[in-house]
Amino acid sequence: MSRVAVTGLGVMAPHGDEPGSLFEALLRGESALAPIFPELPKPAAAATVAFDESRWFTKLQLAGVDRVSQLAVAAADLAMRDAGIRGDVDPERIGVYTGCGMGGATALDAAYRGNGRVPPLTIPAFMPNAPASHVAIRQGVQGPVLTYSVACASSAVAIAEAAKAVQRDEVDVAIAGGSEALIVPGVVLAWQAMQTLASFVPGEEATAIRPFATDRNGFALGEGAAFLILESADRARQRGARIYATLDGWGHGCDATHLTKPDAHGQARALRQALRQAGLRPRDVGYCNAHGTATRIGDVVERDALAEVWGDDLGELRVSSTKALHGHLLGAAGALEAVVTVLALHRRQLPPNGHRGEVDPACSLNLVPQAGADAPQVEAAISNSFAFGGTNAVLLFGRA
């Protein structure tokens, strides 16, 4: 069975729309977080995308297309261009596998806050499968077009399912990733009510998210889209494609314990599945892009899960949560962080764990320092996505 190759990357992210520039900004520790909605009773911050929709849509095409779908269309198109795929694949042999947690939040918020008239295209604008459908329409995809809505694990699950389809020869090319655009007042208020968003002194938004730190107190929302092009390594070599990395293993399952409280044993099961499928031992994996939401409970549970699997080798695993810099993209988080993990392997550099300050003793890990780190010996890396609902997803990438 051929390995699964990553041959294209596309992003519409808070740090821009070019994967290399995004990665370099993360290496520099640049935060994309900024204040939003000053009218809200409590200060809020988020990482938003500077997006020019006119690059991708005419005014007529924009009717009924929510921002979440606009970002998806753009990121997927950039990924296909990066992979060098231009009309030379049977459209029935291409699939779209997209993660989206909340769908068209902008359309739904506008409907709730309107003047009594609900726009007639509200339903197709906010349905969670709209991003995948718009990507398929733009790319002419006639194969499977599937959406996975599993909260924060959505796009990581989508990428794993896309890899399975490639391995099983169900598709020649998979456009796999996710999109989320939920920076609207109602959604922010809802997350604030859950007390999961970080509090901060106005003016300190950029450094408000501190994964694994003693003084961490939550995350900030982000928006964006990210897609990977997956195809068999054999096919990629035959067409002379650049291979960024290979997707060698994945694991996902459910805690089956609590809707919002994570479970270390459930996360450890997903980690073991990914290692087993890749045929690797824990010590063979040199970097982990952690879920790392900077919540009081979540960071400790993730550390305990890593310790359960890595054991005495935990100190050899370099760890960072890039959510400190680009925010938490919820349904698109796994895809954006997968792109970052792939680039870490491809470039042999590790992005920092931002703003950590003093590390919580309960979160003792080998965290990548603020200056980032070179990683000439890292041959495999994992990206963790652990979701509300108890779904845990782990992607394991290897150097090409």
Side-chain angles (χ1 to χ4, degrees):
M1 187 176 290
S2 177
R3 300 174 78 183
V4 178
V6 180
T7 57
L9 302 173
V11 298
M12 277 289 160
H15 289 91
D17 61 5
E18 204 285 314
S21 298
L22 157 70
F23 192 75
E24 288 160 11
L26 296 179
L27 285 177
R28 294 191 296 268
E30 293 181 6
S31 172
L33 296 171
I36 55 169
F37 307 135
E39 71 275 14
L40 296 183
K42 185 178 179 181
T48 59
V49 176
F51 180 60
D52 178 9
E53 63 269 15
S54 67
R55 288 177 58 192
W56 310 98
F57 298 88
T58 66
K59 287 185 178 181
L60 183 61
Q61 288 173 325
L62 280 171
V65 183
D66 190 89
R67 183 174 176 86
V68 69
S69 296
Q70 297 171 27
L71 295 173
V73 165
D77 190 54
L78 290 172
M80 288 289 274
R81 294 186 196 183
D82 188 50
I85 297 174
R86 281 289 177 272
D88 55 348
V89 184
D90 180 351
E92 295 185 17
R93 297 286 299 171
I94 306 175
V96 177
Y97 302 79
T98 300
C100 185
M102 297 195 70
T106 302
L108 202 57
D109 195 68
Y112 287 153
R113 295 169 176 269
N115 57 5
R117 179 185 179 274
V118 176
L121 296 178
T122 296
I123 295 294
F126 87 77
M127 61 187 191
N129 65 314
S133 298
H134 282 290
V135 169
I137 292 168
R138 182 60 64 98
Q139 298 296 331
V141 173
Q142 296 175 352
V145 178
L146 303 173
T147 296
Y148 301 84
S149 189
V150 204
C152 312
S154 298
S155 52
V157 170
I159 292 168
E161 294 300 308
K164 291 179 187 178
V166 170
Q167 273 197 339
R168 294 169 180 166
D169 196 34
E170 296 172 3
V171 296
D172 292 330
V173 173
I175 306 170
S179 184
E180 202 79 273
L182 40 63
I183 312 301
V184 296
V187 171
V188 173
L189 286 169
W191 281 101
Q192 286 181 335
M194 278 205 73
Q195 299 183 6
T196 55
L197 297 188
S199 58
F200 53 87
V201 175
E204 297 183 0
E205 297 85 359
T207 58
I209 316 307
R210 298 179 290 275
F212 305 110
T214 301
D215 61 349
R216 69 190 183 281
N217 68 354
F219 58 84
L221 295 171
E223 66 171 0
F227 283 86
L228 294 72
I229 304 304
L230 305 181
E231 53 190 305
S232 74
D234 291 342
R235 183 183 188 279
R237 283 191 291 267
Q238 287 170 7
R239 71 181 187 89
R242 170 186 50 202
I243 299 177
Y244 284 101
T246 54
L247 178 48
D248 295 335
W250 48 85
H252 52 76
C254 186
D255 293 338
T257 57
H258 195 278
L259 202 63
T260 59
K261 183 180 179 181
D263 176 71
H265 301 308
Q267 294 178 8
R269 286 194 294 273
L271 289 161
R272 289 193 185 98
Q273 285 178 21
L275 288 164
R276 186 163 53 247
Q277 183 173 15
L280 298 179
R281 301 164 298 175
R283 70 180 66 176
D284 298 324
V285 178
Y287 172 64
C288 169
N289 188 293
H291 187 60
T293 55
T295 55
R296 297 303 304 175
I297 295 175
D299 285 10
V300 175
V301 170
E302 184 170 13
R303 185 270 172 193
D304 289 348
L306 290 169
E308 181 178 327
V309 177
W310 262 255
D312 293 339
D313 293 320
L314 183 61
E316 302 303 313
L317 179 69
R318 309 300 299 275
V319 178
S320 65
S321 171
T322 50
K323 286 184 177 70
L325 304 174
H326 55 62
H328 191 349
L329 274 65
L330 299 185
L336 181 61
E337 291 158 22
V339 168
V340 173
T341 305
V342 165
L343 288 173
L345 283 170
H346 182 65
R347 298 178 50 151
R348 293 191 180 274
Q349 294 175 292
L350 305 182
N353 189 78
H355 320 138
R356 73 185 190 192
E358 181 182 350
V359 178
D360 184 346
C363 298
S364 57
L365 291 164
N366 186 358
L367 297 174
V368 180
Q370 187 64 38
D374 292 332
Q377 306 304 319
V378 173
E379 296 294 325
I382 58 171
S383 178
N384 291 344
S385 297
F386 304 138
F388 276 7
T391 294
N392 304 305
V394 176
L395 302 175
L396 193 157
F397 295 95
R399 267 188 58 82

